[in-house]
């Protein structure tokens, strides 16, 4: 991976590793202290099955955190992807303990024991161009709507927990002999591929490092990706060159909103958008109004909003 030498840039690192961390609870505070010491912001999830999250910091801060993590033999080959922006896309430093680092909700699905075949980004186009291959976008519907690969199937899930039911209802190991899956950073596909192998699918492939790795390594003129890619930080989306996209996010319903959406009469910054203006309960709407008021007051004082862009933001699923 190419590292920037511009000390003024903020590096955004999406990282994860499935590994048996039986002492994950004891790792929480030392990890948090490392992040605070090096002014690294964002959220990392720890569970018995591994680590997952997205963080931001200076080049030196991110390198120090990665070096600390990889000093643990279980995390030596921890996977991460990087992009850069002008300021922190996070406001806080958090380390959370979880039952799963990406929530599928099915007991016994463990990528540490069984996982599909990794496909390098350079080989991905040829695989998904094969008419015998079923290509599945394992991300949620609001992510797929912003961008996806040509010909990919959209399960139209609202959370990753719905993926197993969709597979069992729509796909058959006897008929779908070759399956290729992708997600934002690779982690959902590892778990999804483990689940599908357990369900009897024999040839299960997944994009190594996810869409972010593909966008970094495959030239845009050769790309089969169409649109932008949703990311779980305040940038909301990134373009093919990993620069920040033009989407915003509705603080009331959390849906990504386009420039066209922002021109709608139903768009009120921080309060409503065309996706939710007539559907959210008044209690939620009132909370959004109050939160937007606090954001505007903080902006007038020249301070970052103390609770970040969205206190109810989805957990990182990259």
């Amino acid at each position: 991976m190419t590292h920037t030498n511009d000390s003024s840039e903020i590096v955004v690192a999406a990282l994860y590793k499935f590994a048996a961390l039986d002492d994950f609870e004891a790792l929480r505070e030392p990890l948090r202290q490392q992040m605070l010491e090096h002014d690294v912001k964002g959220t990392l999830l720890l569970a018995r099955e591994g680590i997952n999250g997205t963080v931001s910091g200076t080049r030196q801060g991110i390198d120090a955190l990665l070096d600390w993590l990889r000093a643990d033999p279980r995390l030596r080959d921890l996977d991460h992807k990087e992009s850069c922006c002008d300021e922190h896309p996070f406001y806080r430093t958090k380390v959370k303990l979880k039952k799963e680092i990406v929530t599928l909700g099915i007991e016994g699905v463990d990528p540490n024991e069984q996982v599909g075949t990794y496909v390098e980004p350079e080989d991905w186009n040829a695989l998904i161009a094969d008419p015998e291959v079923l290509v599945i976008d394992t991300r949620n519907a609001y992510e797929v709507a912003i961008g996806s690969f040509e010909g990919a199937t959209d399960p139209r899930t609202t959370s990753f927990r719905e993926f197993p039911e969709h597979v069992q209802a729509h796909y058959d190991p006897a008929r779908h002999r070759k399956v290729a899956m992708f997600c934002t950073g690779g982690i959902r596909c590892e778990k999804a591929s483990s689940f599908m192998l357990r369900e009897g699918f024999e040839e299960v492939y997944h994009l190594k490092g996810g869409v972010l790795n593909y966008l970094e390594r495959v030239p845009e003129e050769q790309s089969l990706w169409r649109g932008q890619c949703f990311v779980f930080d305040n940038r909301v989306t990134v373009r093919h060159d990993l620069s920040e996209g033009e989407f915003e996010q509705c603080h009331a319903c959390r849906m990504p909103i386009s420039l066209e959406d922002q021109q709608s009469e139903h768009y009120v910054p921080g309060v409503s958008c065309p996706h939710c203006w007539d559907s959210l309960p008044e209690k939620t709407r009132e909370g959004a109004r109050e939160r937007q008021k606090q954001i505007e007051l903080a902006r007038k004082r020249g301070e970052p909003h103390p609770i970040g862009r969205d206190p109810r933001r989805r957990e990182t699923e990259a």
Side-chain angles (χ1 to χ4, degrees):
M1 178 167 299
T2 301
H3 289 167
T4 176
N5 292 317
D6 186 347
S7 59
S8 67
E9 285 189 312
I10 293 297
V11 179
V12 182
L15 61 91
Y16 78 91
K17 172 65 180 177
F18 282 102
L21 302 180
D22 292 334
D23 59 344
F24 73 99
E25 294 174 330
L27 292 174
R28 180 183 188 179
E29 191 55 30
L31 175 55
R32 179 175 171 273
Q33 288 303 318
Q34 282 292 316
M35 294 173 68
L36 290 172
E37 180 180 341
H38 297 286
D39 193 29
V40 174
K41 301 182 187 298
T43 300
L44 291 177
L45 308 180
L46 286 173
R48 196 173 302 278
E49 67 180 9
I51 185 171
N52 175 34
T54 305
V55 294
S56 64
T58 63
R59 173 78 274 157
Q60 294 79 9
I62 293 298
D63 285 347
L65 176 63
L66 292 173
D67 288 345
W68 186 85
L69 288 169
R70 288 171 175 151
D72 186 325
R74 299 168 297 182
L75 303 176
R76 185 171 294 130
D77 58 348
L78 176 142
D79 184 63
H80 89 286
K81 280 79 58 184
E82 292 183 1
S83 56
C84 294
C85 55
D86 295 331
E87 59 184 17
H88 276 289
F90 304 106
Y91 295 106
R92 287 183 170 183
T93 297
K94 300 179 183 178
V95 179
K96 297 183 178 182
L97 302 181
K98 295 288 183 178
K99 185 176 181 180
E100 300 178 78
I101 56 173
V102 59
T103 304
L104 186 65
I106 301 292
E107 294 290 339
V109 177
D110 187 355
N112 292 311
E113 297 179 359
Q114 180 178 240
V115 73
T117 302
Y118 296 97
V119 180
E120 296 291 343
E122 294 83 358
D123 301 322
W124 182 250
N125 286 358
L127 175 65
I128 66 174
D130 183 342
E132 294 186 3
V133 174
L134 170 66
V135 184
I136 306 175
D137 191 332
T138 67
R139 302 170 307 147
N140 298 322
Y142 65 90
E143 299 170 78
V144 179
I146 292 172
S148 192
F149 283 107
E150 284 186 4
T153 298
D154 176 10
R156 301 199 62 78
T157 56
T158 58
S159 75
F160 191 44
R161 281 180 173 272
E162 298 174 5
F163 183 76
E165 183 178 350
H166 175 83
V167 169
Q168 292 166 343
H170 295 90
Y171 308 133
D172 180 0
R175 187 160 56 94
H176 302 106
R177 298 184 179 276
K178 296 181 181 179
V179 178
M181 297 181 295
F182 63 92
C183 57
T184 308
I187 184 170
R188 274 179 279 189
C189 288
E190 292 216 27
K191 207 158 214 185
S193 71
S194 181
F195 167 75
M196 293 194 77
L197 287 169
R198 197 183 77 161
E199 290 293 297
F201 294 86
E202 295 183 2
E203 290 189 56
V204 181
Y205 304 90
H206 52 115
L207 178 58
K208 186 176 182 180
V211 177
L212 295 178
N213 197 29
Y214 179 93
L215 297 182
E216 179 183 5
R217 291 169 55 178
V218 175
E220 189 167 0
E221 59 271 18
Q222 299 174 18
S223 177
L224 295 181
W225 178 261
R226 300 294 178 259
Q228 297 183 27
C229 181
F230 183 90
V231 289
F232 291 87
D233 59 59
N234 287 350
R235 295 170 300 171
V236 185
T237 65
V238 294
R239 299 182 176 89
H240 201 287
D241 63 358
L242 298 181
S243 64
E244 184 174 348
E246 72 269 13
F247 282 78
E248 291 291 334
Q249 190 168 35
C250 176
H251 303 323
C253 70
R254 301 177 294 176
M255 285 290 291
I257 48 177
S258 65
L259 292 174
E260 182 179 356
D261 290 333
Q262 294 168 48
Q263 301 304 310
S264 168
E265 62 179 314
H266 301 303
Y267 175 60
V268 179
V271 178
S272 66
C273 75
H275 301 287
C276 70
W277 70 275
D278 62 347
S279 60
L280 288 183
E282 183 55 33
K283 182 178 179 180
T284 300
R285 187 82 63 211
E286 186 56 38
R289 289 193 188 98
E290 178 59 30
R291 186 174 184 283
Q292 185 63 22
K293 177 181 176 182
Q294 296 303 316
I295 290 175
E296 291 171 359
L297 288 173
R299 186 181 294 123
K300 288 179 180 178
R301 294 192 295 264
E303 302 171 354
H305 186 48
I307 58 175
R309 179 169 285 196
D310 189 347
R312 298 179 298 115
R313 193 175 191 86
R314 298 171 177 93
E315 298 288 2
T316 179
E317 298 183 26

